């Protein structure tokens, strides 16, 4: 019986945050599909202790808003995975973060299921959960509500949510950096926990407003906003 294709959530960057299920799948896989950008793979670094470099299949995903180029890469991955599955090889797909949260790899999952290739989705630790742990935060309590936004948050939306007792997580913060900073300037009583590179040796966390407003916000960043 052929083994389903496993989609493994790697968490934010700390190899020790991998689940036992993900480690088992990495060790048993014949091929591990790994994303990279400009010949660097954060995912490969996370899994290296449990996965031989020789069985990694690296693909470069264009960091573009034009989804056509991205979809072409994913179509090629689907083709390769389909061939490996037909050969009876065990395939795992490494996914940074959690596969269920803003992960474009779902295009591949959906396409494989359309082709009647079975999949397994392995849950992981989202970056904002790891960030809360890093800062010793109770993420939500009592009657508070949690909302997770992508990098298209605007000042009006942020204002509406925090004023209605929502704790707001903004992921991909670099994509809405100016709107986020405008919101911070307009709301001096809001508590903001700002994070970069959670789960790595370059991890950074601050609540200081001056540091946040003066900082160049990188790609791997997020914030957690608490109602005043």
């Amino acid at each position: 019986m052929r083994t389903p294709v496993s989609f493994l959530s790697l968490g934010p960057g700390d190899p020790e945050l991998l689940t036992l299920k993900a480690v088992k799948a990495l060790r048993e896989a014949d091929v591990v599909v790994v994303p990279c950008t400009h010949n660097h793979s954060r995912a490969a670094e996370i899994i290296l202790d449990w996965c031989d470099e020789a069985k990694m299949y690296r693909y470069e995903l264009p960091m573009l808003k034009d989804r056509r180029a991205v979809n072409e890469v994913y179509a090629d991955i689907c083709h390769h995975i389909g061939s490996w599955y037909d050969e009876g090889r065990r395939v795992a797909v490494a996914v940074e973060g959690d596969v269920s949260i803003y992960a474009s790899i779902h295009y591949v999952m959906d396409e494989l299921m359309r082709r009647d290739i079975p999949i397994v989705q392995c849950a992981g630790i989202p970056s904002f959960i790891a960030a809360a742990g890093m800062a010793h935060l109770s993420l939500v309590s009592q009657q508070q509500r949690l909302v997770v936004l992508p990098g298209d948050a605007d000042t009006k939306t942020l204002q509406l949510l925090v004023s209605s007792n929502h704790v707001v997580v903004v992921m991909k913060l670099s994509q809405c950096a100016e709107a986020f900073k405008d919101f911070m300037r307009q709301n001096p009583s809001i508590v903001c926990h700002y994070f970069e590179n959670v789960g790595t040796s370059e991890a950074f966390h601050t609540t200081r407003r001056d540091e946040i407003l003066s900082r160049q916000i990188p790609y791997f960043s997020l914030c957690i906003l608490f109602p005043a």
Side-chain angles (χ1 to χ4, degrees):
M1 183 177 179
R2 293 173 185 166
T3 304
V5 177
S6 297
F7 285 77
L8 309 180
S9 301
L10 304 186
D14 184 349
E16 293 185 355
L17 293 181
L18 278 174
T19 64
L20 292 174
K21 184 174 183 178
V23 169
K24 182 174 183 289
L26 287 169
R27 286 173 170 166
E28 294 178 350
D30 298 308
V31 181
V32 179
V33 180
V34 179
C36 66
T37 54
H38 307 299
N39 295 318
H40 173 259
S41 176
R42 184 175 171 130
E45 292 174 353
I46 295 171
I47 66 175
L48 199 54
D49 285 345
W50 300 281
C51 178
D52 193 304
E53 179 80 35
K55 65 181 182 181
M56 292 186 194
Y57 173 83
R58 298 184 183 224
Y59 68 93
E60 186 161 347
L61 195 62
M63 303 300 286
L64 302 171
K65 290 187 177 180
D66 181 357
R67 299 305 301 175
R68 287 175 297 180
V70 175
N71 289 342
E72 286 178 5
V73 173
Y74 281 151
D76 185 61
I77 293 171
C78 286
H79 171 74
H80 283 293
I81 292 176
S83 297
W84 293 323
Y85 177 78
D86 288 341
E87 293 168 2
R89 302 173 78 179
R90 294 166 295 185
V91 182
V93 181
V95 183
E96 294 175 43
D98 186 277
V99 70
S100 66
I101 300 176
Y102 299 126
S104 59
I105 199 71
H106 259 277
Y107 170 91
V108 176
M109 296 174 63
D110 294 342
E111 178 61 18
L112 293 179
M113 287 188 290
R114 189 186 69 79
R115 300 184 188 185
D116 294 323
I117 297 176
I119 67 165
V120 171
Q121 185 169 321
C122 182
I125 299 176
S127 57
F128 62 89
I129 298 295
M134 172 183 169
H136 312 300
L137 297 175
S138 172
L139 194 56
V140 283
S141 59
Q142 298 180 350
Q143 303 305 311
Q144 289 179 331
R145 299 176 180 180
L146 178 67
V147 176
V148 181
L149 302 177
D152 63 354
D154 57 74
T155 304
K156 183 177 179 181
T157 299
L158 294 174
Q159 181 66 61
L160 177 65
L161 289 170
V162 295
S163 63
S164 57
N165 205 36
H166 287 77
V167 176
V168 181
V169 172
V170 184
M171 301 179 68
K172 303 182 181 180
L173 192 59
S174 62
Q175 297 180 12
C176 59
E178 289 310 310
F180 161 66
K181 289 184 177 181
D182 285 345
F183 170 80
M184 291 293 293
R185 295 185 189 100
Q186 296 170 23
N187 294 271
S189 62
I190 292 296
V191 177
C192 174
H193 286 261
Y194 170 82
F195 301 87
E196 295 176 5
N197 297 304
V198 174
T200 73
S201 59
E202 291 82 36
F204 174 80
H205 164 237
T206 186
T207 58
R208 286 183 51 182
R209 187 171 298 270
D210 58 336
E211 279 190 303
I212 296 170
L213 291 176
S214 63
R215 203 154 182 95
Q216 185 72 29
I217 297 178
Y219 181 79
F220 291 107
S221 60
L222 64 90
C223 72
I224 304 175
L225 302 170
F226 289 89

